[in-house]
């Protein structure tokens, strides 16, 4: 006599209402919802220059880039590669690819030429956006158009040329279409591309900043420090995209320098500071901390590796009014980190 074992499914539900996740929306549409209401608000601040871009300007420029990509032959479903530090052009390029229905893969600018070539060819990138200082690293790439955001070598494109076209680049984007292609080695082996869909990233962002009890507590009056590199999924997802969804202001810092970072927090009244343990250590040991007003920070969270108790206690003493949190390092395939505040 056969014994049939019935499996019982146990579902544990929060007492809070379910989060509405508009999985039918393309990523860029979701991030820029309610644009008429927030269009004039500052979206990006370029730290080196102080230039400020409104939400309306960022969305409009991303659409222009999408049209420029179409003009340069980038089709829906194809890949562009971004080899840039944190800067407005990184954001315009990523969002422009989303509008075009293309995929964006980003690489560390400090990669060797061989590492860049490997990712470019493995992802089958059609176009690469970078800056002139990295020209020697990319000049030998074959069958890939090169676009430069600053001084442009002869016979290549300048980024401004991507923003000139006024044609139509709208495409029919499906929820399962891939929009981001970060590369990660995971726990072992060589780096591999991880396909993140529009639906997947919208769901990830909604879990972090939407609903009655959002995990990250961002709001439209926040200024979020973006010093962690955007080619890493944590910064791309939980800093940039979540910040855009919350209609916060995102302060783009291309590289870490402790005194510059403290000065920028002081100048722009940064309220959210996502960092990593080496930056926490540099802040805690800085002899110049007293020269800057850092009281605007209401959330300081560290990710990538655990903080020791001694460092936690030091942070509490230096930022008594801030919520301090640790974020487990997310993998590209599961990019919804949960902050643990202490």
């Amino acid at each position: 006599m056969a014994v049939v074992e019935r499996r019982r499914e146990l579902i544990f539900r929060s007492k809070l209402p379910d989060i509405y996740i508009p999985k039918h929306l393309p990523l860029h549409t979701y991030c820029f919802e309610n644009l008429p209401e927030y269009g004039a608000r500052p979206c990006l601040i370029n730290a080196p220059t102080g230039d400020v871009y409104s939400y309306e300007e960022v969305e409009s420029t991303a659409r222009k880039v999408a049209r420029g990509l179409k003009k340069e032959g980038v089709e829906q479903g194809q890949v562009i590669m971004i080899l840039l530090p944190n800067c407005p052009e990184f954001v315009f390029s990523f969002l422009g690819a989303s509008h075009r229905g293309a995929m964006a893969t980003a690489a560390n600018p400090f990669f060797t030429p061989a590492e860049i070539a490997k990712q470019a060819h493995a992802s089958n990138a059609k176009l690469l956006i970078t800056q002139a200082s990295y020209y020697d690293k990319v000049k030998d790439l074959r069958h890939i158009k090169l676009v430069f955001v600053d001084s442009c070598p002869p016979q290549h494109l300048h980024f401004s040329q991507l923003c000139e076209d006024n044609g139509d680049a709208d495409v029919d984007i499906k929820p399962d279409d891939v929009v981001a292609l970060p590369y990660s080695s995971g726990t072992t082996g060589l780096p591999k591309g991880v396909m993140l869909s529009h639906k997947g990233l919208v769901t990830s962002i909604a879990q972090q900043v939407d609903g009655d009890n959002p995990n990250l507590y961002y709001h439209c009056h926040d200024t979020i420090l973006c010093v962690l590199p955007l080619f890493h999924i944590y910064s791309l997802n939980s800093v940039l995209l979540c910040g855009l969804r919350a209609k916060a202001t995102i302060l783009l810092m291309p590289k870490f320098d402790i005194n510059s970072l403290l000065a920028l927090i002081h100048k722009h009244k940064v309220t959210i500071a996502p960092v990593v343990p080496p930056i926490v250590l540099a802040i805690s040991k800085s002899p110049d901390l007293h020269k800057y007003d850092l009281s605007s920070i209401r959330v300081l969270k560290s990710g990538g590796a655990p903080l020791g108790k001694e460092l936690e206690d030091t942070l509490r003493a230096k930022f008594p009014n801030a919520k301090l949190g640790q974020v487990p390092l997310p993998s590209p395939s599961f990019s919804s980190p949960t902050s643990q505040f202490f």
Side-chain angles (χ1 to χ4, degrees), residues 69 72-82 101-107 115-129 141-146 178 180-183 191-195:
L69 293 175
E72 295 304 323
V74 176
E75 300 294 339
Q76 183 175 8
Q78 292 185 332
V79 177
I80 71 162
M81 188 172 183
I82 304 172
M103 296 174 265
T105 188
E115 289 171 322
I116 293 168
K118 183 175 178 61
Q119 183 169 333
H121 293 308
S123 63
N124 197 24
K126 303 299 180 185
L127 180 143
L128 185 148
I129 299 172
L141 293 175
R142 295 289 179 260
H143 311 298
I144 299 176
K145 289 187 177 182
L146 302 182
V178 176
L181 192 66
Y183 268 66
K192 300 165 281 290
V194 181
M195 297 186 293

Side-chain angles (χ1 to χ4, degrees), residues 5 120 163 170 181 205 220 231 260:
E5 182 180 332
C163 305
D170 290 340
L181 192 66
I205 298 163
C220 65
F231 60 77
S260 297

Side-chain angles (χ1 to χ4, degrees), residues 92-257:
F92 301 149
S93 301
F94 181 85
L95 294 172
S98 180
H99 274 282
R100 181 69 189 117
M103 296 174 265
T105 188
N108 187 341
F110 291 107
F111 274 178
T112 65
E115 289 171 322
I116 293 168
K118 183 175 178 61
Q119 183 169 333
H121 293 308
S123 63
N124 197 24
K126 303 299 180 185
L127 180 143
L128 185 148
I129 299 172
T130 188
Q131 59 188 35
S133 57
Y134 306 132
Y135 176 66
D136 285 342
K137 294 185 177 186
V138 300
K139 64 183 181 181
D140 294 327
L141 293 175
R142 295 289 179 260
H143 311 298
I144 299 176
K145 289 187 177 182
L146 302 182
V147 179
F148 294 85
V149 301
D150 47 7
S151 56
C152 184
Q155 300 181 352
H156 293 292
L157 294 170
H158 190 269
F159 189 80
S160 61
Q161 294 174 261
L162 290 183
C163 305
E164 293 174 346
D165 199 283
N166 293 316
D168 180 22
D170 290 340
V171 293
D172 180 23
I173 296 173
K174 296 179 172 56
D176 288 322
D177 288 349
V178 176
V179 63
L181 192 66
Y183 268 66
S184 171
S185 61
T187 53
T188 59
L190 296 171
K192 300 165 281 290
V194 181
M195 297 186 293
L196 300 180
S197 67
H198 286 264
K199 178 176 69 175
L201 279 174
V202 167
T203 300
S204 172
I205 298 163
Q207 289 173 336
Q208 296 175 79
V209 297
D210 288 355
D212 293 343
N213 187 31
N215 182 253
L216 294 184
Y217 303 100
Y218 294 171
H219 57 62
C220 65
H221 298 293
D222 276 323
T223 298
I224 305 174
L225 176 69
C226 184
V227 64
L228 304 181
L230 286 168
F231 60 77
H232 192 281
I233 189 62
Y234 174 42
S235 185
L236 178 68
N237 182 335
S238 295
V239 180
L240 175 63
L241 296 178
C242 285
L244 293 176
R245 172 63 178 175
K247 304 302 182 290
T249 301
I250 300 160
L251 175 62
L252 297 169
M253 189 174 178
K255 64 179 181 179
F256 171 69
D257 172 80

Side-chain angles (χ1 to χ4, degrees), residues 279-300:
I279 295 179
V280 173
L281 188 63
I283 292 173
S284 65
K285 290 189 172 183
S286 172
D288 299 321
L289 212 60
H290 66 281
K291 298 179 181 178
Y292 305 95
D293 180 6
L294 309 180
S295 62
S296 59
I297 295 180
R298 66 179 187 85
V299 174
L300 192 155

